[in-house]
Amino acid sequence: MNRVRLLVLNAALGPLDYRLPEGVSAPAGSVVIAPLGPRKVTGIVWDEGRLPGDEIAFERLRPILEVLPVPPLPAPLRRLIEWTADYYCAPLASVARMALSSGGALGGPATLTEYRLTGAEGSGRLTAQRKTALEKLAGQQGTMRELAALAGVSEGVLRGMAGARLLEPVVVNVDRPYPPADPDHHQPDLSPDQQAVAAIFTDAVKTRAFAPFLLDGVTGSGKTETYFEPVAEAIRLGRQVLVLLPEIALTENFLSRFTARFGAAPVLWHSSLKSTERRRAWRAIADGSAQVVVGARSALFLPYANLGLIVVDEAHEISFKQDDGVRYNARDVSVMRARFEGVPVILASATPALESLHMADIGVYTKLDLPARFGGASLPTVRLVNLTEEKPGSQRWLAGPLVEGLRDRLAKGEQSLLFLNRRGYAPLTLCRNCGHRFKCPSCSAWLVEHRLSARLACHHCGFETRVPEVCPECGESDCLVACGPGVERIAAEVADLFPEARVAVATSDTLNTPERAAEFIAMAEGRAIDIIIGTQLVTKGFHFPELTLVGVVDADLGLEGGDLRAGERTFSQIAQVAGRAGRGAKPGEVLIQTRHPDAPVIAALAGGDRDAFYAAETAGRRDAGAPPFGRWAAIILSSEDEKEAREAAVRLGDVRPRLADVQILGPAPAPLALLRGRYRYRFLVNAKRSANIQAVLRDWIGAVNFAPGVRVGVDIDPYSFV
Ligand code: ADP
Ligand code: ZN
């Protein structure tokens, strides 16, 4: 067949048909360039009969221009793209774009010229600079710029040496191969529990069939060591592995453990990779030479040539849910990818998502448990501090028992961690004189004071402004008051209480590069920090053996919004941060400050009764027809014009479908009624599992012609309700 239908990487265009020129072959999955009017578009040759489109007479088809020099996207990935677009009501083109996420890689192999010494001595007398270069560059190879830096001479000197045949050019592939991981580099002794679980995983890798696992292991049980065994098995069998991590900026600890186990670093994939690294990784993934890829959620759509296993670590993390562009949940999509690939997938967590536990309950996932910490460490004891009785002083947030706990650890030379999920100094600033509150100009949100950078910032859109000298409303000076605490304010309180303590604030503001994160970890491990004060960033993956006290500054904070998952989210966040305590030889203690000690989630944390908490949450969800028992979807309509947004919402509301198994709430102004300069209205759809919610939404939204300024967002299985 020399007629092809392309999935074109432009969401505004449907599939388009083209002709293959004589002698050109382009099997399904091939990435091609095709003409479109006077322009060129990139497209993917799609399987025959799977994309609807108009039948155009063969004679009228234009020929494609070029087949790009990359392997065709494999069939399982093509099925995944179709499934994701369909399930999340997203354009196919937007999903396909995530697979082709390195423009540079599509151009094919590229070379670059490096230089090395020829071994010639040079005729006559050498200049001092050439002499130095000859000494310093022995055994080296690199670009002119790299060699100039190494030798400490100018590139001009080196070019002169190349002219004199002292240096010779070598053409190399820009995409250097990655150092191979050795599955048997360093095999740890697994505990009997770990061994039993690892054996099941390893068998599943050998069998190579779809098999979803839920690895439910308490914090410190050694989940990582356990899933490294099937990773090793996949490497032995020459298959690729994808490990998804929630916070790729903070993978230092993971990377060093990986390198200790396999003797080489894995291939990294995340949004802040340099374009050359992105290209190198993409090509190695597509040709199968990247053995283990460790990535953020976007790594899920890459064209693995030969996938053998997927691991999702900290699988409960809500950061696996993408909330802009294609709104997908990487945890769920990874299970689908494993299904299309016919490989096992491991979801690892100490606090699995309720949805995942439900899948285990109904027998879809195999649940494997690691009930004890590795090496005999005990789980920390948990104590509640009732803030209605133990009141911190005015403008203070740490109550007596927590202050005493910190004092005690300081005296013993042990570490403490204070957790408050709020960046900055104070979440609200107001004028004492006139009551003016500082608000973001583009969002319905207060500006958060950041004292370290002397700014007021919006955490939704990134707007920033200097803290003013006088109130912009009434013109008074010295009248601004900070309301409520953020981590910086807790740090100030700690500094006041314990001036001698070495304190570190750990947030996405302070640990914003891998280098800074590494530096922080090294200091904490080297006991150069006494008290860590951090946001949810410190709930993940850290292992500091000297950390014996964890203080939760405000356990009620996450319950305020009151959305569907508030209880579950609070439970997992606090359980995770609590899990940082007492991981070494010394036992840990957790103090939870709360105004609601009787709230079910707080009581469950205090009593360590996870099962009862999950059972109660599950029953509540069943009664409400909420996921996983019913289906939810959100529709967000937005426009820069308030009236246009409102009218769009009313019009959509007027044509809502009336179905027995679908309930539609709204439209209502979104809690964040203004975001990045756009006015927002929301609908919430609650459907029984019998309904085809995607079809209902497509028909419903498709029936309205919206004004050009209106954006319509569909969020299937939403996590955010603002
Ligand atoms: P989890 O991810 O389950 O919270 P980790 O994987 O971080 O637990 O393991 C906790 C600590 O125990 C880590 O320092 C890890 O290196 C160590 N550990 C776990 N299993 C083993 C093992 N079999 N041999 C040696 N050290 C182990
Ligand atoms: Zn804003």
Side-chain angles (χ1 to χ4, degrees), residues 440-445 447 457-463 674-677:
C440 175
S442 326
C443 303
S444 24
L447 292 178
C458 172
H459 285 184
H460 296 284
C461 70
F463 170 85
L674 178 64
L675 177 64
R676 294 188 194 96

Side-chain angles (χ1 to χ4, degrees), residues 282-304:
W282 195 95
R283 294 193 62 85
I285 287 164
D287 73 16
S289 63
Q291 295 166 294
V292 182
V293 177
V294 173
R297 58 187 182 221
S298 58
L300 191 50
F301 290 94
L302 296 173
Y304 301 90

Side-chain angles (χ1 to χ4, degrees), residues 403 406-413 491-504 527-531:
V403 173
L406 292 170
R407 193 186 312 284
D408 175 58
R409 296 321 187 281
L410 276 171
K412 290 198 285 206
E493 185 173 342
V494 167
D496 205 42
L497 288 165
F498 308 110
E500 73 288 1
R502 297 163 301 172
V503 176
R527 303 173 66 171
I529 301 173
D530 299 313
I531 302 175

Side-chain angles (χ1 to χ4, degrees), residues 358-703:
H358 177 70
M359 293 301 264
D361 277 347
I362 61 175
V364 179
Y365 295 176
T366 304
K367 185 163 163 308
L368 300 171
D369 298 340
L370 291 175
R373 282 190 158 176
F374 178 77
S378 51
L379 284 164
T381 54
V382 179
R383 200 146 56 92
L384 296 183
V385 178
N386 185 346
L387 289 177
T388 59
E389 288 163 8
E390 306 270 0
K391 291 199 175 75
S394 140
Q395 302 298 302
R396 298 270 168 175
W397 286 272
L398 306 178
L402 190 46
V403 173
E404 286 321 305
L406 292 170
R407 193 186 312 284
D408 175 58
R409 296 321 187 281
L410 276 171
K412 290 198 285 206
E414 296 172 5
Q415 288 173 325
S416 306
L417 166 64
L418 295 176
F419 169 69
L420 177 65
N421 204 17
R422 226 191 229 152
R423 288 153 51 212
Y425 184 84
L428 168 67
T429 302
L430 54 77
C431 169
R432 189 189 299 119
N433 190 40
C434 73
H436 174 74
R437 297 166 170 219
F438 286 80
K439 218 174 135 278
C440 175
S442 326
C443 303
S444 24
W446 306 125
L447 292 178
V448 179
E449 181 183 356
H450 286 249
R451 215 160 260 195
L452 294 174
S453 57
R455 309 219 149 221
L456 295 171
C458 172
H459 285 184
H460 296 284
C461 70
F463 170 85
E464 278 193 359
T465 177
R466 291 225 342 258
V467 180
E469 309 268 313
V470 299
C471 172
E473 191 71 28
C474 67
E476 273 287 312
S477 53
D478 287 332
C479 60
L480 302 185
V481 238
C483 301
V487 280
E488 291 178 12
R489 198 167 197 177
I490 302 300
E493 185 173 342
V494 167
D496 205 42
L497 288 165
F498 308 110
E500 73 288 1
R502 297 163 301 172
V503 176
V505 174
T507 70
S508 55
D509 299 314
T510 58
L511 307 185
N512 51 7
T513 63
E515 294 75 37
R516 285 187 168 194
E519 194 185 332
F520 163 72
I521 291 168
M523 283 177 69
E525 281 174 355
R527 303 173 66 171
I529 301 173
D530 299 313
I531 302 175
I532 300 166
I533 301 164
T535 56
Q536 45 87 28
L537 209 62
V538 294
T539 61
K540 293 171 238 224
F542 289 117
H543 183 76
F544 301 138
E546 291 300 319
L547 183 66
T548 57
L549 173 67
V550 164
V552 176
V553 176
D554 185 352
D556 310 329
L557 197 60
L559 293 172
E560 279 168 7
D563 73 51
L564 165 74
R565 294 186 178 83
E568 185 190 351
R569 190 149 60 216
T570 297
F571 186 88
S572 76
Q573 213 166 51
I574 295 180
Q576 292 285 347
V577 72
R580 301 309 116 201
R583 291 168 72 95
K586 297 171 192 153
E589 183 184 20
V590 180
L591 294 178
I592 300 177
Q593 299 198 135
T594 175
R595 257 166 238 91
H596 306 286
D598 300 326
V601 44
I602 306 292
L605 284 161
D609 196 350
R610 193 186 89 174
D611 292 347
F613 173 71
Y614 274 108
E617 281 286 300
T618 305
R621 297 247 196 125
R622 186 180 275 119
D623 290 346
F629 304 99
R631 309 280 305 281
W632 279 14
I635 301 174
I636 304 116
L637 298 168
S638 71
S639 164
E640 288 177 10
D641 180 34
E642 208 288 325
K643 186 156 160 277
E644 192 175 72
R646 183 162 21 95
E647 282 173 3
V650 171
R651 282 183 56 211
L652 189 61
D654 285 347
V655 297
R656 75 186 62 212
R658 317 237 166 228
L659 300 166
D661 46 6
V662 179
Q663 193 194 1
I664 296 170
L665 307 170
L672 254 174
L674 178 64
L675 177 64
R676 294 188 194 96
R678 301 184 71 86
Y679 294 87
R680 306 163 75 239
Y681 282 81
R682 292 183 69 106
F683 289 88
L684 185 63
V685 181
N686 184 197
K688 298 224 167 75
R689 291 205 79 89
S690 55
N692 180 342
I693 194 168
Q694 286 85 359
V696 170
L697 290 174
R698 265 191 292 265
D699 288 349
W700 177 25
I701 295 168

